[in-house]
Amino acid sequence: MLPKTIPIKRYPELRLAARHLPETARVTPAEALGLYERDARRLDRQHMNDAERTLLNTLIREVGHGVFNG
């Protein structure tokens, strides 16, 4: 189950995708998936830690209904 808001500073690739936001920002799950999708060409899944990989997969499954538009 996803939290209501996600702290971007906890997830390095999300932080890069949200570089226009303050480091202390929190985003909704839908906003997080949107950020990942908009920055998909820069997204480095190989270097994601397990927590961020799990977050992204959960976002794709629960918010994107199994679809990643990146």
Side-chain angles (χ1 to χ4, degrees):
M1 187 155 146
L2 290 166
K4 289 184 181 199
T5 62
I6 298 165
I8 62 172
K9 68 180 178 183
R10 196 174 294 167
Y11 303 99
E13 292 294 318
L14 180 58
R15 177 68 194 114
L16 288 173
R19 59 193 162 279
H20 62 285
L21 298 175
E23 185 176 330
T24 57
R26 298 177 72 89
V27 294
T28 66
E31 290 168 331
L33 182 59
L35 288 164
Y36 280 124
E37 289 176 335
R38 279 189 292 280
D39 215 39
R41 61 188 158 98
R42 294 187 191 139
L43 190 60
D44 189 352
R45 291 187 190 203
Q46 296 280 41
H47 290 100
M48 276 187 180
N49 60 36
D50 290 339
E52 187 162 19
R53 194 173 294 109
T54 298
L55 172 66
L56 180 56
N57 289 334
T58 303
L59 289 168
I60 292 169
R61 186 177 61 250
E62 293 185 19
V63 177
H65 307 287
V67 177
F68 183 73
N69 294 310

Coordinates of all heavy atoms in Angstrom, one line a residue:
M1 N 0.8 -1.2 0.0 CA 0.0 0.0 0.0 C 0.9 1.2 0.0 O 1.9 1.3 0.7 CB -0.9 0.0 1.2 CG -1.9 1.1 1.2 SD -3.3 0.5 2.2 CE -3.8 2.0 3.0
L2 N 0.5 2.2 -0.8 CA 1.3 3.4 -0.9 C 0.9 4.4 0.1 O -0.3 4.5 0.5 CB 1.1 4.0 -2.3 CG 1.7 3.3 -3.5 CD1 1.1 3.7 -4.8 CD2 3.2 3.4 -3.5
P3 N 1.9 5.2 0.6 CA 1.5 6.3 1.5 C 0.8 7.4 0.8 O 0.8 7.5 -0.5 CB 2.9 6.8 2.0 CG 3.8 6.5 0.9 CD 3.3 5.2 0.3
K4 N 0.2 8.3 1.5 CA -0.5 9.4 0.9 C 0.4 10.4 0.2 O 0.1 11.0 -0.8 CB -1.4 10.2 1.9 CG -2.6 9.4 2.4 CD -3.4 10.2 3.3 CE -4.6 9.3 3.7 NZ -5.7 10.0 4.3
T5 N 1.6 10.6 0.8 CA 2.6 11.4 0.2 C 4.0 10.7 0.3 O 4.2 9.9 1.2 CB 2.7 12.8 0.8 OG1 3.1 12.7 2.2 CG2 1.4 13.6 0.7
I6 N 4.9 11.1 -0.7 CA 6.2 10.4 -0.8 C 7.2 11.5 -0.7 O 7.2 12.5 -1.5 CB 6.3 9.7 -2.1 CG1 5.2 8.6 -2.2 CG2 7.7 9.1 -2.3 CD1 5.0 8.0 -3.6
P7 N 8.2 11.4 0.3 CA 9.3 12.4 0.4 C 10.3 12.1 -0.7 O 10.9 11.1 -0.8 CB 9.9 12.1 1.7 CG 9.5 10.6 2.0 CD 8.3 10.3 1.3
I8 N 10.5 13.1 -1.6 CA 11.3 12.9 -2.7 C 12.8 12.7 -2.3 O 13.5 12.1 -3.0 CB 11.2 14.1 -3.8 CG1 11.6 15.4 -3.2 CG2 9.8 14.1 -4.3 CD1 11.7 16.5 -4.2
K9 N 13.2 13.3 -1.2 CA 14.6 13.2 -0.8 C 15.0 11.8 -0.4 O 16.2 11.4 -0.4 CB 14.9 14.1 0.3 CG 14.3 13.8 1.7 CD 14.7 14.8 2.7 CE 14.0 14.5 4.0 NZ 14.3 15.5 5.0
R10 N 14.1 10.9 -0.2 CA 14.4 9.5 0.2 C 14.7 8.6 -1.0 O 15.2 7.6 -0.9 CB 13.2 9.0 0.9 CG 13.5 7.7 1.7 CD 12.3 7.2 2.5 NE 12.1 8.2 3.6 CZ 11.0 8.2 4.3 NH1 10.0 7.3 4.1 NH2 10.8 9.0 5.3
Y11 N 14.4 9.1 -2.2 CA 14.5 8.3 -3.4 C 15.4 9.1 -4.5 O 14.9 10.0 -5.1 CB 13.2 8.0 -4.0 CG 12.3 7.2 -3.0 CD1 11.3 7.9 -2.3 CD2 12.5 5.9 -2.8 CE1 10.6 7.2 -1.3 CE2 11.8 5.2 -1.8 CZ 10.8 5.9 -1.1 OH 10.1 5.2 -0.2
P12 N 16.6 8.7 -4.7 CA 17.6 9.5 -5.5 C 17.1 9.8 -6.9 O 17.2 10.9 -7.4 CB 18.8 8.7 -5.5 CG 18.8 7.9 -4.2 CD 17.3 7.6 -4.0
E13 N 16.5 8.8 -7.6 CA 16.1 9.0 -9.0 C 14.8 9.9 -9.0 O 14.7 10.7 -9.9 CB 15.8 7.7 -9.7 CG 17.0 6.8 -9.9 CD 18.0 7.5 -10.9 OE1 17.6 8.0 -11.9 OE2 19.2 7.4 -10.7
L14 N 14.0 9.7 -8.0 CA 12.8 10.6 -7.9 C 13.3 12.0 -7.7 O 12.7 13.0 -8.2 CB 11.8 10.1 -6.9 CG 10.6 10.9 -6.6 CD1 9.8 11.1 -7.9 CD2 9.8 10.3 -5.5
R15 N 14.3 12.2 -6.8 CA 14.8 13.5 -6.5 C 15.3 14.2 -7.8 O 15.1 15.4 -8.0 CB 15.9 13.4 -5.4 CG 16.6 14.7 -5.1 CD 15.6 15.6 -4.3 NE 16.1 17.0 -4.3 CZ 15.5 18.0 -4.9 NH1 14.4 17.8 -5.6 NH2 16.0 19.2 -4.8
L16 N 16.0 13.4 -8.6 CA 16.5 14.0 -9.9 C 15.3 14.4 -10.8 O 15.4 15.4 -11.4 CB 17.4 13.0 -10.6 CG 18.8 12.7 -10.0 CD1 19.5 11.6 -10.7 CD2 19.6 14.0 -10.0
A17 N 14.3 13.6 -10.8 CA 13.2 13.9 -11.7 C 12.4 15.1 -11.1 O 11.8 15.8 -11.9 CB 12.2 12.7 -11.7
A18 N 12.5 15.3 -9.8 CA 11.8 16.4 -9.2 C 12.8 17.6 -8.9 O 12.6 18.3 -7.9 CB 11.1 15.9 -8.0
R19 N 13.8 17.7 -9.6 CA 14.8 18.7 -9.3 C 14.3 20.1 -9.2 O 14.9 21.0 -8.7 CB 16.0 18.6 -10.3 CG 15.6 18.8 -11.7 CD 16.8 18.4 -12.6 NE 16.4 18.1 -14.0 CZ 15.8 17.0 -14.4 NH1 15.5 16.1 -13.6 NH2 15.4 16.9 -15.7
H20 N 13.1 20.4 -9.8 CA 12.5 21.7 -9.8 C 11.8 22.0 -8.4 O 11.4 23.1 -8.2 CB 11.6 21.9 -10.9 CG 10.4 20.9 -10.9 ND1 10.6 19.6 -11.2 CD2 9.1 21.1 -10.6 CE1 9.4 19.0 -11.1 NE2 8.5 19.9 -10.7
L21 N 11.7 20.9 -7.6 CA 11.0 21.1 -6.3 C 12.0 21.2 -5.2 O 13.1 20.7 -5.3 CB 10.1 19.9 -6.1 CG 8.9 19.6 -7.0 CD1 8.2 18.3 -6.7 CD2 8.0 20.8 -7.0
P22 N 11.6 21.8 -4.1 CA 12.6 21.8 -2.9 C 12.9 20.4 -2.5 O 12.0 19.5 -2.6 CB 11.8 22.5 -1.8 CG 10.6 23.2 -2.5 CD 10.4 22.4 -3.8
E23 N 14.0 20.2 -1.9 CA 14.5 18.8 -1.5 C 13.5 18.2 -0.4 O 13.4 17.0 -0.3 CB 15.9 18.9 -0.9 CG 16.5 17.6 -0.5 CD 17.9 17.6 0.0 OE1 18.6 18.5 -0.5 OE2 18.3 16.8 0.8
T24 N 12.9 19.1 0.3 CA 12.0 18.6 1.4 C 10.6 18.3 0.9 O 9.7 18.0 1.7 CB 11.9 19.6 2.5 OG1 11.5 20.9 2.0 CG2 13.3 19.8 3.2
A25 N 10.3 18.5 -0.4 CA 9.0 18.3 -0.9 C 8.5 16.9 -0.8 O 9.3 15.9 -0.8 CB 8.9 18.7 -2.4
R26 N 7.2 16.8 -0.7 CA 6.5 15.5 -0.7 C 5.5 15.5 -1.9 O 4.9 16.6 -2.1 CB 5.8 15.2 0.6 CG 6.8 15.2 1.8 CD 6.0 15.0 3.1 NE 5.5 13.7 3.3 CZ 6.1 12.7 3.8 NH1 7.4 12.8 4.2 NH2 5.6 11.5 3.9
V27 N 5.4 14.4 -2.6 CA 4.4 14.4 -3.7 C 3.5 13.2 -3.5 O 3.7 12.3 -2.8 CB 5.2 14.2 -5.0 CG1 6.0 15.4 -5.3 CG2 6.1 13.0 -5.0
T28 N 2.3 13.3 -4.2 CA 1.4 12.2 -4.1 C 1.9 11.0 -5.0 O 2.8 11.3 -5.8 CB 0.0 12.6 -4.6 OG1 0.1 12.9 -6.0 CG2 -0.6 13.8 -3.9
P29 N 1.4 9.8 -4.8 CA 1.8 8.7 -5.6 C 1.6 9.0 -7.1 O 2.4 8.7 -7.9 CB 0.9 7.6 -5.1 CG 0.7 7.9 -3.7 CD 0.5 9.4 -3.7
A30 N 0.5 9.7 -7.5 CA 0.2 10.0 -8.9 C 1.3 11.0 -9.4 O 1.8 10.9 -10.5 CB -1.2 10.5 -9.1
E31 N 1.6 12.0 -8.6 CA 2.6 12.9 -9.0 C 4.0 12.3 -9.1 O 4.7 12.5 -10.1 CB 2.7 14.1 -7.9 CG 1.5 15.0 -7.9 CD 1.5 15.9 -6.7 OE1 2.0 15.6 -5.7 OE2 0.9 17.0 -6.9
A32 N 4.3 11.3 -8.2 CA 5.6 10.6 -8.3 C 5.7 9.8 -9.6 O 6.7 9.9 -10.3 CB 5.7 9.7 -7.1
L33 N 4.6 9.1 -9.9 CA 4.7 8.3 -11.2 C 4.8 9.2 -12.3 O 5.6 9.0 -13.3 CB 3.4 7.4 -11.3 CG 3.4 6.6 -12.5 CD1 4.6 5.6 -12.6 CD2 2.0 5.8 -12.6
G34 N 4.1 10.4 -12.3 CA 4.2 11.3 -13.4 C 5.6 11.9 -13.5 O 6.1 12.0 -14.6
L35 N 6.3 12.1 -12.4 CA 7.7 12.6 -12.5 C 8.6 11.5 -13.1 O 9.4 11.8 -13.9 CB 8.1 13.0 -11.1 CG 7.5 14.2 -10.5 CD1 7.8 14.3 -9.0 CD2 8.1 15.5 -11.2
Y36 N 8.4 10.3 -12.6 CA 9.2 9.2 -13.2 C 9.0 9.1 -14.7 O 9.9 8.9 -15.5 CB 8.9 7.9 -12.5 CG 9.6 7.6 -11.2 CD1 8.8 7.3 -10.1 CD2 10.9 7.6 -11.0 CE1 9.4 7.1 -8.8 CE2 11.5 7.4 -9.8 CZ 10.8 7.1 -8.7 OH 11.4 6.8 -7.5
E37 N 7.7 9.2 -15.1 CA 7.4 9.0 -16.5 C 8.0 10.2 -17.4 O 8.5 9.9 -18.4 CB 5.9 8.9 -16.7 CG 5.3 7.6 -16.2 CD 3.8 7.5 -16.3 OE1 3.1 8.6 -16.3 OE2 3.3 6.4 -16.4
R38 N 7.8 11.4 -16.9 CA 8.3 12.5 -17.6 C 9.9 12.5 -17.8 O 10.4 13.1 -18.7 CB 7.9 13.8 -16.9 CG 6.5 14.2 -17.3 CD 6.1 15.6 -16.8 NE 6.0 15.7 -15.4 CZ 5.0 15.4 -14.6 NH1 3.9 14.9 -15.2 NH2 5.0 15.5 -13.3
D39 N 10.5 11.9 -16.8 CA 12.0 11.9 -16.8 C 12.5 10.5 -17.2 O 13.7 10.2 -16.9 CB 12.5 12.3 -15.4 CG 13.8 13.1 -15.5 OD1 13.9 13.9 -16.4 OD2 14.7 12.8 -14.6
A40 N 11.7 9.7 -17.8 CA 12.0 8.3 -18.1 C 13.3 8.1 -18.9 O 14.1 7.2 -18.6 CB 10.9 7.6 -18.9
R41 N 13.6 9.0 -19.8 CA 14.9 8.9 -20.6 C 16.1 9.0 -19.7 O 17.2 8.5 -20.1 CB 14.9 9.8 -21.8 CG 14.8 11.2 -21.4 CD 14.7 12.1 -22.7 NE 14.1 13.3 -22.4 CZ 14.8 14.4 -22.3 NH1 16.1 14.4 -22.5 NH2 14.3 15.6 -22.0
R42 N 16.0 9.7 -18.6 CA 17.1 9.9 -17.7 C 17.1 8.9 -16.5 O 18.1 8.8 -15.8 CB 17.2 11.3 -17.1 CG 17.4 12.3 -18.1 CD 17.6 13.7 -17.5 NE 17.5 14.7 -18.5 CZ 16.9 15.8 -18.4 NH1 16.2 16.1 -17.3 NH2 16.9 16.7 -19.4
L43 N 16.0 8.2 -16.4 CA 15.9 7.2 -15.3 C 16.9 6.1 -15.4 O 17.0 5.4 -16.4 CB 14.4 6.7 -15.3 CG 13.9 5.9 -14.2 CD1 13.9 6.7 -12.9 CD2 12.5 5.4 -14.4
D44 N 17.6 5.9 -14.3 CA 18.6 4.8 -14.3 C 18.2 3.7 -13.3 O 18.5 3.7 -12.1 CB 20.0 5.4 -13.9 CG 21.1 4.5 -14.0 OD1 20.9 3.3 -14.3 OD2 22.3 4.9 -13.8
R45 N 17.4 2.8 -13.8 CA 16.9 1.7 -13.0 C 18.0 0.8 -12.5 O 17.9 0.2 -11.4 CB 15.9 0.9 -13.7 CG 14.6 1.6 -14.0 CD 13.6 0.7 -14.6 NE 12.4 1.4 -15.1 CZ 11.2 0.9 -15.2 NH1 11.0 -0.4 -15.0 NH2 10.2 1.6 -15.6
Q46 N 19.1 0.7 -13.2 CA 20.3 -0.1 -12.8 C 20.8 0.3 -11.4 O 21.3 -0.5 -10.7 CB 21.4 -0.1 -13.8 CG 20.9 -0.7 -15.1 CD 21.0 -2.2 -15.1 OE1 20.6 -2.9 -14.1 NE2 21.5 -2.8 -16.2
H47 N 20.8 1.6 -11.2 CA 21.4 2.2 -10.0 C 20.4 2.5 -8.9 O 20.8 3.1 -7.9 CB 22.3 3.4 -10.4 CG 23.5 3.1 -11.2 ND1 23.6 3.2 -12.5 CD2 24.7 2.6 -10.8 CE1 24.7 2.8 -12.9 NE2 25.4 2.4 -11.9
M48 N 19.2 2.2 -9.1 CA 18.2 2.4 -8.1 C 18.4 1.4 -6.9 O 18.8 0.3 -7.2 CB 16.8 2.1 -8.6 CG 16.1 3.2 -9.3 SD 14.4 2.7 -9.7 CE 13.9 4.1 -10.6
N49 N 18.2 1.9 -5.7 CA 18.3 1.0 -4.6 C 17.0 0.2 -4.5 O 16.0 0.5 -5.2 CB 18.6 1.8 -3.3 CG 17.6 2.8 -2.9 OD1 16.4 2.6 -3.2 ND2 18.0 3.9 -2.3
D50 N 17.0 -0.8 -3.7 CA 15.9 -1.7 -3.6 C 14.6 -1.0 -3.2 O 13.5 -1.3 -3.8 CB 16.1 -2.9 -2.7 CG 17.1 -3.8 -3.2 OD1 17.4 -3.9 -4.4 OD2 17.7 -4.6 -2.4
A51 N 14.7 0.0 -2.3 CA 13.5 0.7 -1.8 C 12.9 1.5 -3.0 O 11.7 1.5 -3.1 CB 13.9 1.6 -0.7
E52 N 13.7 2.1 -3.8 CA 13.2 2.9 -4.9 C 12.6 2.1 -6.0 O 11.6 2.4 -6.6 CB 14.2 3.9 -5.4 CG 13.6 4.9 -6.4 CD 14.5 6.1 -6.7 OE1 15.7 6.1 -6.4 OE2 13.9 7.1 -7.2
R53 N 13.3 1.0 -6.3 CA 12.8 0.0 -7.3 C 11.4 -0.5 -6.9 O 10.5 -0.6 -7.7 CB 13.8 -1.1 -7.5 CG 13.5 -1.9 -8.7 CD 14.6 -3.0 -9.0 NE 15.9 -2.3 -9.3 CZ 17.0 -2.3 -8.5 NH1 16.9 -2.9 -7.3 NH2 18.1 -1.7 -8.8
T54 N 11.3 -0.8 -5.6 CA 10.0 -1.3 -5.1 C 8.9 -0.2 -5.2 O 7.8 -0.5 -5.6 CB 10.1 -1.8 -3.6 OG1 11.1 -2.9 -3.6 CG2 8.8 -2.2 -3.0
L55 N 9.3 1.0 -4.8 CA 8.4 2.1 -4.9 C 7.9 2.3 -6.4 O 6.7 2.4 -6.6 CB 9.0 3.4 -4.5 CG 8.2 4.7 -4.7 CD1 6.9 4.7 -3.9 CD2 9.0 5.9 -4.5
L56 N 8.8 2.3 -7.3 CA 8.5 2.5 -8.7 C 7.6 1.4 -9.2 O 6.5 1.6 -9.9 CB 9.7 2.6 -9.6 CG 9.4 2.8 -11.1 CD1 8.5 4.0 -11.4 CD2 10.7 2.9 -11.9
N57 N 7.9 0.1 -8.9 CA 7.1 -1.0 -9.3 C 5.7 -0.9 -8.7 O 4.7 -1.2 -9.4 CB 7.8 -2.3 -9.0 CG 9.0 -2.6 -9.8 OD1 9.1 -2.1 -11.0 ND2 9.9 -3.3 -9.3
T58 N 5.6 -0.5 -7.5 CA 4.3 -0.4 -6.8 C 3.5 0.8 -7.4 O 2.3 0.6 -7.7 CB 4.5 -0.1 -5.3 OG1 5.2 -1.2 -4.7 CG2 3.1 0.0 -4.6
L59 N 4.1 1.9 -7.8 CA 3.5 3.0 -8.4 C 2.9 2.5 -9.8 O 1.8 2.8 -10.1 CB 4.4 4.2 -8.6 CG 4.8 4.9 -7.4 CD1 6.0 5.9 -7.7 CD2 3.6 5.7 -6.8
I60 N 3.7 1.8 -10.5 CA 3.3 1.3 -11.8 C 2.1 0.4 -11.7 O 1.1 0.5 -12.4 CB 4.4 0.6 -12.6 CG1 5.5 1.6 -13.0 CG2 3.9 -0.1 -13.8 CD1 6.8 1.0 -13.4
R61 N 2.1 -0.5 -10.7 CA 1.1 -1.5 -10.5 C -0.2 -0.8 -10.0 O -1.3 -1.0 -10.5 CB 1.5 -2.6 -9.6 CG 0.5 -3.7 -9.4 CD 1.1 -4.8 -8.5 NE 1.3 -4.3 -7.1 CZ 2.5 -4.1 -6.6 NH1 3.6 -4.4 -7.2 NH2 2.7 -3.7 -5.3
E62 N -0.1 0.0 -9.0 CA -1.3 0.6 -8.3 C -1.8 1.9 -8.9 O -3.0 2.1 -9.0 CB -1.0 0.8 -6.8 CG -0.8 -0.5 -6.1 CD -0.6 -0.4 -4.6 OE1 -1.0 0.7 -4.1 OE2 -0.1 -1.3 -4.0
V63 N -0.9 2.7 -9.4 CA -1.4 4.0 -9.9 C -1.5 4.0 -11.4 O -2.5 4.4 -12.0 CB -0.4 5.2 -9.5 CG1 -0.8 6.5 -10.1 CG2 -0.3 5.3 -8.0
G64 N -0.5 3.3 -12.1 CA -0.5 3.2 -13.5 C -1.3 2.0 -14.1 O -1.3 1.8 -15.3
H65 N -1.8 1.2 -13.1 CA -2.6 0.0 -13.5 C -1.8 -0.9 -14.4 O -2.2 -1.4 -15.4 CB -3.9 0.4 -14.2 CG -4.7 1.3 -13.3 ND1 -5.4 0.9 -12.2 CD2 -5.0 2.6 -13.4 CE1 -6.0 1.9 -11.6 NE2 -5.8 3.0 -12.3
G66 N -0.4 -1.0 -14.1 CA 0.4 -1.9 -14.8 C 1.1 -1.3 -16.0 O 1.9 -2.0 -16.7
V67 N 0.9 0.0 -16.3 CA 1.5 0.7 -17.4 C 2.4 1.8 -17.0 O 2.0 2.6 -16.2 CB 0.3 1.2 -18.3 CG1 0.9 2.0 -19.5 CG2 -0.6 0.1 -18.8
F68 N 3.6 1.8 -17.6 CA 4.5 2.9 -17.4 C 4.7 3.6 -18.7 O 5.1 3.1 -19.7 CB 5.9 2.3 -17.0 CG 6.9 3.4 -16.7 CD1 6.8 4.1 -15.5 CD2 8.0 3.6 -17.6 CE1 7.8 5.1 -15.3 CE2 8.9 4.6 -17.3 CZ 8.8 5.4 -16.1
N69 N 4.2 4.9 -18.7 CA 4.2 5.7 -20.0 C 5.5 6.5 -20.0 O 5.5 7.7 -20.0 CB 3.0 6.6 -20.0 CG 1.7 5.8 -20.1 OD1 1.6 5.0 -21.0 ND2 0.8 6.1 -19.2
G70 N 6.6 5.8 -20.1 CA 7.9 6.6 -20.2 C 8.7 6.2 -21.3 O 8.6 5.5 -22.2

